Amino acid sequence: MTGAEPAGPLAAWLVTDARAELIRELRRLAAAHGLVPEVSAFHASGLTITPRAVVHTSHPAYGYLIEAEGKRTAWAPGEFLEFPWWAAWRRPDVR
């Protein structure tokens, strides 16, 4: 993960998979910023990040629903088995 280290101050270190093969390295990098990597919600200054489950191969994994200024986007790991229903875009006037 050389070169992937974040620069500057961090408020949280959110992960998608607490059993990830690189979790040991992520813990080391997060600790250098005084943080613990975890699947967790985050709220600050109008920003809300909420973990949402994804169907994974063998153990729990998560993506994140990110909301700010009346807009929403989703971030999900590439190794999910089904596209997460909560990440599907849909016009608010269409059901």
Side-chain angles (χ1 to χ4, degrees):
M1 293 186 51
T2 302
E5 298 87 356
L10 300 176
W13 194 297
L14 306 178
V15 296
T16 60
D17 182 348
R19 295 173 151 184
E21 57 191 56
L22 297 174
I23 196 68
R24 178 175 283 161
E25 182 66 12
L26 292 175
R27 286 186 183 120
R28 185 188 66 74
L29 291 170
H33 291 273
L35 300 169
V36 174
E38 61 186 340
V39 174
S40 179
F42 178 79
H43 307 279
S45 303
L47 170 68
T48 299
I49 303 174
T50 308
R52 303 298 292 254
V54 296
V55 178
H56 192 271
T57 55
S58 62
H59 58 275
Y62 301 85
Y64 287 92
L65 182 61
I66 304 164
E67 301 173 279
E69 298 180 8
K71 297 183 176 152
R72 298 171 54 162
T73 192
W75 187 93
E79 57 273 340
F80 56 80
L81 293 177
E82 296 175 14
F83 187 81
W85 66 266
W86 52 266
W89 180 85
R90 158 173 84 99
R91 288 187 0 212
D93 61 328
V94 176
R95 292 185 186 242

